[in-house]
Amino acid sequence: MNWIVHKFGGSSLADARAFEHVVGLMTAESGARRQAVVVSAMQGTTDALIDLAERAAGDAADWPEAFEALRSRHLECATMLGLEPEAIEPMAVSFRRLRHLLESFGLLGSVPEEALELVSALGEQWSARLLDGAFRARGQASRFVDAREVIRIRRGELGPIALLDDSRKRLAAITNDAPDRLVVTGFCCRDEQGRIATLGRDGSDFTATILAALLDAGEVQIWTDVDGVLNADPGRVPNAQVIERLSYREAFELAYFGARVLHPQTLSPLLQRDVPVRIRSTRHPDRPGTLIDRAGSGTPPVKGMTAIRDLALVNIEGAGMLGVPGTAERVFATLHRGAISVTMISQGSSEHSICCVVPAVDADRARQLLSEAFAREIDAGQLQAVRQEDRIEVLAAVGDGMAGAPGVAGRLFGALGRAGVNVRAIAQGSSERNISIAVTRDQSERALRALHAAFYLSRHSLSIGVIGPGQVGRALLGQLRDAAPRLAETAGLDLQIRAVANSRAMVLDDAQVSDVAMAGDLSAGEPLDYERLAAHVRAERLPHAVLIDCTASDVPPTRYVEWLEAGIHVITPNKQAGAGDLERYRKLRRLDADGPARWRYEATVGAGLPVVQTLRDLVDSGDRVDSIEGIFSGTLAWLFNRFEPGMTFSGLVREAHDAGYTEPDPADDLSGMDVARKLVILGRELGLPLTLDAIEIDPLLPTADLSGAEAVFDALPEMDEAMSRRLEAARAAGGCLRYTARLASDGSARVGLEQLPGDHPFAHLALTDNVVAFRTRRYCDNPLIVQGPGAGPDVTAAGVFSDLLRIAQSLG
Ligand code: ADP
Ligand code: ASP
Ligand code: MG
């Protein structure tokens, strides 16, 4: 009968219940094939053993306590599993011996290497005894096999190499009369000299495939606590997904580049044999898991992303390298002599620099060795001093299909660029199965998530902060919250509202701020601190950040430059920046065009109407805009739609104020400043260097510097008579009064009350409608008109939302 090898990781062997579960799983699978069940140590045991050995050698007073905890955990588990006394005895003996060993480490003051190998793999002895005993206590066939009596290895530079012929003979002696189930200790083995050795951390996976080769097994199943090999580390990319099928080589690259789920050497014994490996979940045994075999599958082209941590970068550069053959070889020979393994090498196409990524612990040594090796060239100024950069991680995108798929690299670097990740070095293996990218540690998680989102349509996470939960801000927060589930589903967008702030306080949250905060109540928050706010929203782990300024204040706009420079997108209905200081405006536009983040302000003109975007499209598509005119104030539109002979203008303003149609201070509307600001924003969109003071403004106030509702209502009746006369004159001519804004392409701009003929397009507006007419080279006979509701919290918030969606779209 054919063999199948199963392996259970420590994550599947936490306690007696877990062993019980494994017994159940294996029982359900038994019958058709003989089972070799390889086990890791119980969860956490290997770390605990290594720590124990070190503490005993350091004479720490508390090691006996830690020892006792380990012993009782295992012996209690044995009792709970109902092991026979003769099955428990070998474990008890092992613990007694361990205690003597630990005492001897104390005497020595150190842990000899071989002793450490022995001690660190004791957990596998115990867990195999536990599982074997559990089978037998339930009347099932089982035999305990100590892999140290079977597996022989040679220590190679790239890790242990299994000596299969030697090992096979030893195993044959055991399996001759064996029952249909073996329970085998993972991780441990012996070297050629017969000294106790291990297969390296996570080595039980390797034990399983070595056994499969020795037994000519038909299949290997590796049972763990995730549903299979995922396309990214689930600890760093929360929406990582299971990969259905991988080739041996893909699995190797993923494991080598840090996917903890598989020991990198695991597949080497199977390469010649075509034995499939399945990674399965102990928790969800019904799920298919990941199939790893020789063929794999060509799609998708990028199977997964991984990261190796704790690295450093050593860079050597200078004109002296140009065209000089052998420099790269000298670099490697030097590092090789220092036994420093190089994770990644990248040489600029200019041959001007060579950059090596090495383990962080070796970085200082690597720099020194290279400085010595190239001392002559450095002294002569042909090369610059060797540079070292710490805190580096290497990310790798892995997939067989990358070779034939054009554009993969472009997509990869595009995604990193949009996420504002600074790439330190790049290497593509000659197999084209792997693109490796060195980034700094603080950016690595963001980079991983951005890559993952770009390739697997996993959700694009947007970290959002809203400043100013007033009428517009609250409406926006409501819209964001309501739309979030649908956007997650249909557009793959994950909107995380992680901050809300007003001028005094802010509420920050790692996931989503509370409903109370979204309703504008920030009493549970902390004092406003713009730096902390920006840093929080620009969370390193989330690829994209947006700050939305829903205030009318000129304080947040003073921060836009620094936010954009930090890679935070800025969206606002606030006109202060768009119509304010021209130098700052230009800087913001430059940053928007060339920098890492976008600045969007569609809702500054016409609220939710697509005014700014329409104008941009005209300009970008090469049209020439000759004039822009319109009614830009919902309040003033309402006033003049309603103004009838017999009414007083001041009475009408009071009515509008009481109904909430004006700003709290009606002077803000009547002064014409708000309209003028909008005109400045549109004029600048045309490339005109327009400023507020260049606009001719005709205010609807008797004196220009009036402010405050009381003062306005005191003074306004002064104008009633004149306003009524103008209205009558307009009516007599068959026309109407409208408060309009006009801009010509030469930059002349005017805002004020006008008499318009009755058939003018602006004469027939409803309620608070805004209207903008663009007269251009293409739209010359008939202007392009954008018209509709142009005021109110909901439509303004909708304009802001559309900016957010447009930015999200551009993320790819
Ligand atoms: P076991 O004890 O079963 O051997 P490990 O802890 O060694 O389990 O490996 C499984 C763990 O590897 C998972 O819980 C997961 O956190 C981590 N991991 C890292 N990268 C990946 C990946 N790409 N796919 C699946 N798991 C991964
Ligand atoms: N117990 C060992 C470790 O923790 C081997 C393994 O679990 O695969 O590294
Ligand atoms: Mg493991």
Side-chain angles (χ1 to χ4, degrees):
M1 223 180 0
N2 203 339
W3 285 94
I4 178 166
V5 179
H6 294 275
K7 176 257 168 175
F8 288 89
S11 60
S12 303
L13 300 170
D15 51 25
R17 282 232 333 253
F19 276 92
E20 203 69 84
H21 181 55
V22 170
V23 168
L25 286 173
M26 291 296 92
T27 308
E29 298 244 340
S30 61
R33 291 189 277 197
R34 302 175 84 183
Q35 294 175 345
V37 185
V38 176
V39 289
S40 292
M42 286 176 79
Q43 192 162 44
T45 302
T46 311
D47 289 335
L49 282 164
I50 293 169
D51 184 58
L52 194 55
E54 279 161 5
R55 280 205 264 168
D59 221 12
D62 58 351
W63 75 256
E65 239 169 82
F67 167 82
E68 192 43 44
L70 208 55
R71 196 179 79 97
S72 54
R73 179 181 177 203
H74 283 84
L75 296 183
E76 273 163 25
C77 187
T79 315
M80 287 174 75
L81 286 168
L83 261 60
E84 303 289 342
E86 67 269 22
I88 299 182
E89 184 52 22
M91 293 174 70
V93 172
S94 169
F95 274 105
R96 280 200 292 277
R97 290 188 180 149
L98 171 59
R99 198 181 168 109
H100 293 315
L101 258 177
L102 292 169
E103 278 161 1
S104 71
F105 297 162
L107 290 174
L108 284 168
S110 68
V111 190
E113 198 162 325
E114 208 180 329
L116 183 63
E117 298 268 80
L118 168 75
V119 169
S120 62
L122 282 177
E124 274 71 9
Q125 301 290 322
W126 304 329
S127 61
R129 291 280 182 199
L130 285 168
L131 186 62
D132 170 62
F135 278 123
R136 286 192 286 118
R138 283 152 190 75
Q140 295 208 28
S142 175
R143 176 180 295 178
F144 168 85
V145 176
D146 183 346
R148 295 177 299 193
E149 307 319 321
V150 177
I151 297 175
R152 286 286 187 276
I153 56 136
R154 182 183 320 129
R155 295 172 209 265
E157 224 168 294
L158 299 173
I161 300 159
L163 304 173
L164 295 180
D165 291 337
D166 189 347
S167 307
R168 189 172 289 115
K169 283 187 209 119
R170 291 169 202 278
L171 183 63
I174 294 174
T175 51
N176 267 343
D177 62 340
D180 285 346
R181 182 181 290 123
L182 307 177
V183 176
V184 188
T185 58
F187 189 37
C188 55
C189 58
R190 286 182 191 272
D191 68 10
E192 282 168 299
Q193 284 77 38
R195 285 179 307 215
I196 285 189
T198 62
L199 297 171
R201 294 310 305 264
D202 287 317
S204 303
D205 302 334
F206 194 16
T207 309
T209 53
I210 295 172
L211 268 174
L214 302 180
L215 292 167
D216 273 324
E219 192 181 348
V220 178
Q221 300 203 348
I222 295 184
W223 298 78
T224 182
D225 64 343
V226 277
D227 284 350
V229 182
L230 306 174
N231 50 22
D233 180 345
R236 308 185 84 189
V237 179
N239 37 24
Q241 300 123 352
V242 177
I243 307 171
E244 266 172 53
R245 192 164 171 189
L246 285 168
S247 69
Y248 288 141
R249 289 183 194 288
E250 286 173 330
F252 166 76
E253 300 257 346
L254 283 172
Y256 177 77
F257 279 93
R260 168 95 211 265
V261 65
L262 212 59
H263 178 284
Q265 230 78 23
T266 305
L267 299 158
S268 51
L270 305 182
L271 286 180
Q272 316 296 325
R273 289 184 170 74
D274 263 341
V275 182
V277 177
R278 193 172 282 281
I279 315 291
R280 297 182 68 177
S281 160
T282 325
R283 287 187 218 159
H284 304 288
D286 49 316
R287 299 195 181 159
T290 301
L291 174 67
I292 306 172
D293 61 5
R294 178 190 302 281
S297 95
T299 52
V302 177
K303 292 286 169 25
M305 321 270 164
T306 54
I308 310 189
R309 306 186 198 214
D310 300 323
L311 300 172
L313 203 143
V314 182
N315 194 56
I316 174 159
E317 69 178 89
M321 230 180 260
L322 279 168
V324 180
T327 314
E329 282 80 349
R330 272 174 73 197
V331 170
F332 301 132
T334 307
L335 294 175
H336 185 81
R337 270 199 304 280
I340 296 171
S341 83
V342 182
T343 305
M344 172 179 149
I345 323 138
S346 133
Q347 176 159 31
S349 55
S350 65
E351 292 187 25
H352 195 237
S353 73
I354 295 178
C355 151
C356 311
V357 179
V358 298
V361 288
D362 296 328
D364 290 337
R365 220 155 44 82
R367 179 173 39 82
Q368 263 157 23
L369 287 172
L370 289 173
S371 303
E372 284 159 20
F374 289 91
R376 209 154 34 86
E377 288 84 348
I378 293 171
D379 277 345
Q382 292 165 312
L383 294 181
Q384 287 148 32
V386 180
R387 267 191 314 114
Q388 174 182 348
E389 188 179 343
D390 295 327
R391 285 181 290 279
I392 292 287
E393 287 193 21
V394 168
L395 314 185
V398 172
D400 285 339
M402 276 164 43
V408 169
R411 187 135 142 225
L412 205 126
F413 293 111
L416 292 177
R418 283 187 298 275
V421 174
N422 186 7
V423 173
R424 312 292 303 125
I426 304 160
Q428 173 156 29
S430 56
S431 70
E432 291 191 42
R433 188 173 292 116
N434 172 336
I435 298 180
S436 310
I437 302 149
V439 300
T440 55
R441 188 197 299 164
D442 55 356
Q443 292 201 319
S444 67
E445 198 146 314
R446 170 143 47 99
L448 267 177
R449 289 179 185 217
L451 287 182
H452 191 264
F455 281 97
Y456 306 114
L457 303 175
S458 77
R459 292 181 192 148
H460 268 300
S461 296
L462 258 73
S463 167
I464 301 172
V466 174
I467 307 169
Q471 289 211 39
V472 173
R474 282 202 305 274
L476 175 68
L477 286 163
Q479 290 177 9
L480 290 174
R481 203 179 30 191
D482 293 347
R486 187 172 38 80
L487 287 173
E489 195 56 38
T490 59
L493 267 185
D494 167 30
L495 304 180
Q496 302 189 12
I497 302 161
R498 301 176 63 252
V500 177
N502 61 26
S503 58
R504 295 169 308 278
M506 60 184 187
V507 168
L508 309 181
D509 196 288
D510 252 348
Q512 181 99 324
V513 299
S514 67
D515 287 352
V516 180
M518 283 207 220
D521 176 356
L522 306 187
S523 51
E526 49 192 295
L528 173 67
D529 172 342
Y530 277 116
E531 265 103 52
R532 266 181 42 70
L533 174 69
H536 176 80
V537 170
R538 188 76 183 98
E540 288 300 349
R541 68 187 169 82
L542 295 172
H544 306 290
V546 186
L547 272 169
I548 303 177
D549 170 18
C550 290
T551 70
S553 150
D554 54 7
V555 179
T558 61
R559 304 276 176 162
Y560 291 178
V561 167
E562 82 195 44
W563 292 343
L564 290 175
E565 281 174 343
I568 303 174
H569 305 293
V570 177
I571 301 176
T572 185
N574 179 347
K575 292 176 276 291
Q576 299 286 351
D581 178 65
L582 189 59
E583 273 321 300
R584 179 176 70 188
Y585 173 85
R586 286 184 166 141
K587 176 140 200 203
L588 290 169
R589 285 301 298 268
R590 267 200 307 277
L591 278 169
D592 170 55
D594 308 330
R598 309 282 75 79
W599 175 40
R600 289 289 177 275
Y601 43 82
E602 177 61 73
T604 51
V605 185
L609 299 177
V611 177
V612 177
Q613 189 58 41
T614 301
L615 181 53
R616 249 187 214 188
D617 289 344
L618 289 174
V619 174
D620 290 347
S621 66
D623 204 351
R624 185 196 65 217
V625 178
D626 295 325
S627 74
I628 301 174
E629 32 185 82
I631 294 180
F632 293 172
S633 158
T635 311
L636 298 180
W638 187 88
L639 282 177
F640 291 101
N641 285 340
R642 292 287 310 274
F643 195 28
E644 288 292 331
M647 294 179 178
T648 60
F649 182 65
S650 60
L652 191 60
V653 173
R654 193 178 280 281
E655 191 189 325
H657 184 255
D658 292 346
Y661 290 161
T662 68
E663 293 295 316
D665 178 357
D668 289 341
D669 297 306
L670 299 174
S671 67
M673 285 305 279
D674 185 60
V675 174
R677 285 206 177 90
K678 293 173 181 169
L679 200 57
V680 168
I681 290 173
L682 295 184
R684 288 178 176 179
E685 216 54 50
L686 293 182
L688 297 171
L690 206 56
T691 53
L692 261 184
D693 52 19
I695 294 191
E696 191 188 319
I697 305 175
D698 166 22
L700 291 172
L701 291 168
T703 46
D705 52 359
L706 217 53
S707 76
E710 281 315 305
V712 169
F713 288 124
D714 278 349
L716 213 50
E718 280 175 45
M719 298 180 69
D720 283 345
E721 213 186 304
M723 290 298 280
S724 292
R725 265 204 313 275
R726 286 184 76 169
L727 179 66
E728 276 152 27
R731 287 294 164 90
C736 64
L737 288 183
R738 292 291 181 259
Y739 198 84
T740 59
R742 293 182 182 279
L743 172 73
S745 57
D746 62 2
S748 58
R750 178 181 177 280
V751 168
L753 194 63
E754 277 191 276
Q755 177 178 328
L756 297 178
D759 58 355
H760 193 279
F762 298 176
H764 309 281
L765 294 179
L767 301 169
T768 60
D769 271 8
N770 278 200
V771 57
V772 188
F774 299 104
R775 220 171 265 283
T776 74
R777 190 160 50 85
R778 291 180 201 145
Y779 294 95
C780 54
D781 299 334
N782 237 341
L784 174 62
I785 290 190
V786 181
Q787 179 179 340
D794 280 324
V795 289
T796 308
V800 175
F801 204 160
S802 73
D803 277 340
L804 183 68
L805 292 179
R806 209 165 293 123
I807 288 180
Q809 221 164 37
S810 73
L811 302 176

